[in-house]
Amino acid sequence: MLLLKSSLVVIVILALTGSFWWTLSISTSSRGHIYHSSRRLQEQLVSDLWDIGELSFGTSRMKEIEFCPGELENYIPCFNVSENLDSGFSDGNEYDRVCRQGSRQNCLVLPPMNYKIPLRWPTGRDIIWVANVKITGQEVFTSGSLTKRMMMLEEEQISFRSASLMFDGVEDYSHQIAEMIGLRNESNFIQAGIRTILDIGCGYGSFGAHLFSEQILTICIANYESSGSQVQLTLERGLPAMIGSFSSKQLPYPSLSFDLLHCARCGIDWDKKDGTFLIEVDRVLRPGGYFVWTSPLINVQSSLRNKEKQKRWNFVRDFAENLCWELMSQQDETVVWKKTSKKTCYNSRKSGSGPSICSKVQDVEFPYYRPLQNCIGGMHSRRWFPIEERATWPSRSNLNRSELALYGLHLDELNEDTANYRIIVRNYWSLLSPLIFSDHPKRPGDEDPSPPYNMLRNVLDMNARYGGLNAALLEARKSVWVMNVVPTTGPKYLPLILDRGYFGVLHDWCEAFPTYPRTYDMVHAEGLLSLESSQHWRCTMVDIFTEIDRMLRPEGWIIIRDTALLIDSARVLTRRLKWEARVIEIESNNDERLLICQKPFFKRQPS
């Protein structure tokens, strides 16, 4: 054994020495690119050396992580209704996110029996495989919401047909909202300062799907649902969504985050809990932003005939006025309010009318599932800028010097970050394209689409910093959307990401992300392992990687960029996760490496 280990050390030293001198011999013109045909040999060398190295650790380190039981195919840690009921939760709070000790399952979640790879974007926006989501035909047809009724079940597929009368209803509805705001149509949302929309209880995302062509970014949030999930189907369509609840906790977004909040029969009783839900809407709404509510409760004729409905509507209307919202228009079952742009409005209210303004102690910029507040938040933020005074999209993504100064950043820092990610994205794409279209077996009946379209759609950036990956992907005209995640343990740049017109959320990666399994095509993590190691590994790398595996679709991709030491450790772990992995050296930085992995498609066997 001693002789074997000594021989192994000699082989590694000779191989790395030869690799080093070979790297020096590469022409200067080839530097700056991380993907060349010659690099494949070097990648394979590194991979082979690690395979040899793993053998020296013995079988304990090589043991693969087991597959989860079949009943966990749609499992989301931290969402357990039965446990919440046993703990005394009620009145909707049983659907809350509660991360108990031991809620995480370090096993690999298998897809449903008849799971199929989603259709490529944009076809996948309108047609999804029914076996990929936990929903029945009965749930489709008995649903009472507009967007759910738009679906038509056809054997193995659910179709969101653009030619249907119901879809025309969404177009008419969006046009109605624009007119109520005072615009000609929804194509003028951008000019009015509206770029980001939070769609509460979104059905299956058809409102956001319609506005996508207008460059409006709509994120769906809805309660956890064991079946017929709005969030799961919306993500399956390639549209932004995550699980979020107004029941008892603040949403994990900073104050003043969205230009418009939309609720169409979203199931929230806004008059309950003394208007606390409306206060949370006000907190995340930007000054001058809009709240659009569609509900039978608003119908004047119906309310006049029902005293209880009239009482509830009167409460919401009066409470909105005390929040300094202007009632802009009311038509049929839809009402539009506009949040004030002037802080002086709150001081001009009658004494004792409406909620008070939060103190600096209460007004937390980065709430992470804190209890709902009964005071008006966001008033102490330096980001109090009316939406009509902000640059319109896409100019909004390039923040000016004064805006960056709020975060202690200089314009040069953002420009450098943008330039770096411009190169990084180009290199990622040149690296992934051959792997997707050449190395990976083509599925029967599939044709290789021309890059950059249709390769990936849902992207999760686990350590987004300033949103540089998001910016570079959009600039390169990739047909993707990015969930920008700012770790709770890292620098708090989430407001900057939101102010740039992107979507993002605060999250602790030692807990499960609020999404269903198999919802992302690619997961990106730059510096996340270094960040967690600096926190003395509050959770293990296995915990983080099994969570990535849960969120990632079969045949999805993982790109991890970090220090050479951490990448080497991660590379050993990928074998246990059954990922196909390659380590790539970064010529511009000898201290960093790139780990490119693909999650295989393991089909569930009949029981």
Side-chain angles (χ1 to χ4, degrees):
M1 180 60 71
L2 180 62
L3 181 62
L4 176 61
K5 289 185 177 181
S6 301
S7 302
L8 177 61
V9 170
V10 172
I11 292 171
V12 170
I13 292 173
L14 290 174
L16 291 179
T17 303
S19 175
F20 173 73
W21 287 110
W22 177 55
T23 302
L24 290 180
S25 68
I26 297 176
S27 63
T28 305
S29 60
S30 68
R31 299 182 185 275
H33 300 280
I34 61 171
Y35 184 78
H36 299 289
S37 58
S38 60
R39 298 300 293 170
R40 280 180 176 271
L41 298 175
Q42 198 168 6
E43 297 165 26
Q44 192 60 48
L45 172 62
V46 174
S47 178
D48 291 344
L49 289 173
W50 271 105
D51 289 341
I52 296 171
E54 287 178 26
L55 292 173
S56 69
F57 288 111
T59 57
S60 61
R61 195 158 181 177
M62 292 280 290
K63 185 178 179 181
E64 292 186 343
I65 296 172
E66 296 180 355
F67 291 114
C68 299
E71 61 267 20
L72 297 182
E73 65 183 28
N74 287 294
Y75 174 67
I76 311 174
C78 303
F79 289 92
N80 191 315
V81 176
S82 58
E83 283 192 22
N84 288 350
L85 288 171
D86 292 341
S87 300
F89 289 76
S90 60
D91 297 327
N93 293 351
E94 62 270 22
Y95 295 99
D96 268 2
R97 176 181 181 275
V98 181
C99 292
R100 297 179 175 87
Q101 187 73 24
S103 63
R104 183 189 296 273
Q105 299 280 339
N106 279 342
C107 56
L108 307 182
V109 178
L110 282 170
M113 181 71 68
N114 298 316
Y115 182 88
K116 296 183 180 180
I117 300 298
L119 299 171
R120 301 183 191 276
W121 180 268
T123 305
R125 177 188 57 200
D126 301 321
I127 301 174
I128 65 174
W129 300 109
V130 68
N132 289 11
V133 292
K134 193 173 182 181
I135 190 170
T136 65
Q138 186 64 22
E139 286 174 314
V140 172
F141 291 119
T142 59
S143 170
S145 75
L146 173 67
T147 48
K148 288 183 183 179
R149 289 202 311 269
M150 288 166 53
M151 298 187 307
M152 296 179 63
L153 196 63
E154 299 176 351
E155 296 182 2
E156 296 183 328
Q157 296 177 339
I158 298 175
S159 301
F160 303 80
R161 294 192 176 279
S162 59
S164 72
L165 294 176
M166 296 304 294
F167 193 90
D168 292 338
V170 171
E171 289 184 347
D172 291 342
Y173 176 66
S174 303
H175 189 81
Q176 176 191 358
I177 292 173
E179 289 184 332
M180 293 174 72
I181 289 175
L183 307 173
R184 184 175 180 180
N185 53 49
E186 59 267 37
S187 64
N188 297 117
F189 277 164
I190 291 288
Q191 285 70 33
I194 299 172
R195 156 67 179 172
T196 54
I197 295 178
L198 186 65
D199 195 1
I200 308 162
C202 62
Y204 299 129
S206 295
F207 180 64
H210 171 62
L211 294 177
F212 175 78
S213 60
E214 306 294 343
Q215 300 187 67
I216 303 296
L217 184 63
T218 303
I219 176 76
C220 164
I221 64 165
N223 281 336
Y224 164 77
E225 299 167 281
S226 58
S227 67
S229 164
Q230 302 171 70
V231 170
Q232 188 182 39
L233 267 83
T234 300
L235 284 162
E236 189 70 19
R237 297 182 65 187
L239 300 166
M242 64 175 283
I243 300 172
S245 174
F246 273 80
S247 56
S248 64
K249 303 289 181 62
Q250 289 185 326
L251 299 170
Y253 316 127
S255 302
L256 320 179
S257 292
F258 297 96
D259 305 317
L260 187 149
L261 267 73
H262 173 253
C263 162
R265 300 174 181 257
C266 62
I268 296 179
D269 296 324
W270 297 107
D271 57 311
K272 301 298 183 182
K273 293 193 176 181
D274 299 322
T276 308
F277 299 152
L278 290 169
I279 294 174
E280 177 65 359
V281 169
D282 182 86
R283 184 186 70 82
V284 298
L285 197 60
R286 286 195 173 101
Y290 302 91
F291 179 50
V292 179
W293 181 32
T294 297
S295 168
L297 198 67
I298 298 166
N299 189 299
V300 177
Q301 298 301 322
S302 173
S303 295
L304 289 175
R305 294 191 298 269
N306 187 312
K307 297 299 182 183
E308 179 62 26
K309 281 187 176 181
Q310 187 176 14
K311 179 182 177 182
R312 294 179 62 193
W313 162 242
N314 288 341
F315 176 88
V316 174
R317 183 193 58 198
D318 295 342
F319 199 90
E321 183 179 352
N322 288 327
L323 285 172
C324 282
W325 293 0
E326 175 191 356
L327 179 58
M328 298 197 68
S329 182
Q330 181 180 349
Q331 295 181 16
D332 303 322
E333 295 186 348
T334 300
V335 62
V336 176
W337 282 283
K338 182 179 176 67
K339 178 178 176 176
T340 185
S341 298
K342 301 177 181 178
K343 292 184 179 181
T344 54
C345 175
Y346 300 101
N347 298 323
S348 64
R349 296 176 300 170
K350 293 181 181 179
S351 178
S353 64
S356 60
I357 295 173
C358 293
S359 66
K360 286 187 177 182
V361 176
Q362 294 172 299
D363 197 359
V364 178
E365 180 79 283
F366 300 99
Y368 188 64
Y369 300 105
R370 295 173 72 247
L372 288 169
Q373 301 285 330
N374 59 2
C375 55
I376 297 174
M379 295 294 292
H380 301 285
S381 173
R382 295 181 298 167
R383 297 168 46 244
W384 183 280
F385 297 114
I387 62 171
E388 53 268 25
E389 294 181 11
R390 291 181 179 272
T392 56
W393 180 262
S395 299
R396 181 190 287 193
S397 63
N398 301 313
L399 301 183
N400 59 39
R401 294 180 185 276
S402 59
E403 290 172 320
L404 289 173
L406 298 176
Y407 310 100
L409 293 175
H410 298 288
L411 187 59
D412 292 343
E413 293 177 271
L414 185 64
N415 290 340
E416 182 181 355
D417 183 74
T418 301
N420 287 339
Y421 268 102
R422 195 176 290 135
I423 297 171
I424 287 171
V425 163
R426 185 166 62 247
N427 290 334
Y428 284 170
W429 226 257
S430 65
L431 179 66
L432 286 177
S433 296
L435 295 178
I436 291 175
F437 298 128
S438 299
D439 294 359
H440 186 67
K442 186 166 60 176
R443 294 183 292 275
D446 253 1
E447 294 183 359
D448 292 343
S450 300
Y453 301 103
N454 305 326
M455 292 168 56
L456 305 167
R457 176 58 186 169
N458 299 352
V459 176
L460 177 70
D461 193 356
M462 299 178 71
N463 186 23
R465 288 173 52 81
Y466 314 144
L469 178 70
N470 197 154
L473 286 168
L474 290 181
E475 184 181 300
R477 301 180 63 82
K478 309 302 182 187
S479 55
V480 303
W481 70 272
V482 180
M483 175 71 79
N484 295 286
V485 181
V486 173
T488 55
T489 53
K492 301 300 189 294
Y493 289 121
L494 182 56
L496 181 148
I497 291 172
L498 292 160
D499 287 350
R500 295 185 72 181
Y502 309 140
F503 181 72
V505 65
L506 199 66
H507 185 66
D508 181 351
W509 282 117
C510 283
E511 299 174 352
F513 193 72
T515 190
Y516 290 81
R518 304 171 299 279
T519 49
Y520 286 94
D521 302 307
M522 187 177 86
V523 173
H524 177 261
E526 179 178 0
L528 179 69
L529 301 181
S530 292
L531 180 63
E532 290 301 326
S533 66
S534 70
Q535 301 295 318
H536 307 292
W537 290 108
R538 300 171 302 117
C539 53
T540 68
M541 196 182 294
V542 174
D543 293 331
I544 296 173
F545 277 30
T546 52
E547 176 63 7
I548 292 174
D549 188 89
R550 186 187 71 85
M551 296 184 292
L552 198 64
R553 288 173 174 169
E555 300 187 357
W557 295 88
I558 308 106
I559 301 179
I560 302 174
R561 180 169 177 159
D562 223 300
T563 64
L565 181 62
L566 288 169
I567 288 296
D568 292 345
S569 300
R571 171 67 179 86
V572 174
L573 181 56
T574 60
R575 181 62 59 86
R576 297 184 59 197
L577 290 153
K578 307 175 179 67
W579 293 350
E580 299 168 6
R582 301 186 182 195
V583 174
I584 300 171
E585 294 181 7
I586 301 173
E587 294 180 354
S588 60
N589 190 339
N590 293 328
D591 294 330
E592 289 188 345
R593 284 181 179 169
L594 203 63
L595 181 63
I596 306 287
C597 308
Q598 185 181 33
K599 175 182 174 178
F601 186 177
F602 292 107
K603 291 192 175 183
R604 181 180 299 281
Q605 299 300 318
S607 56

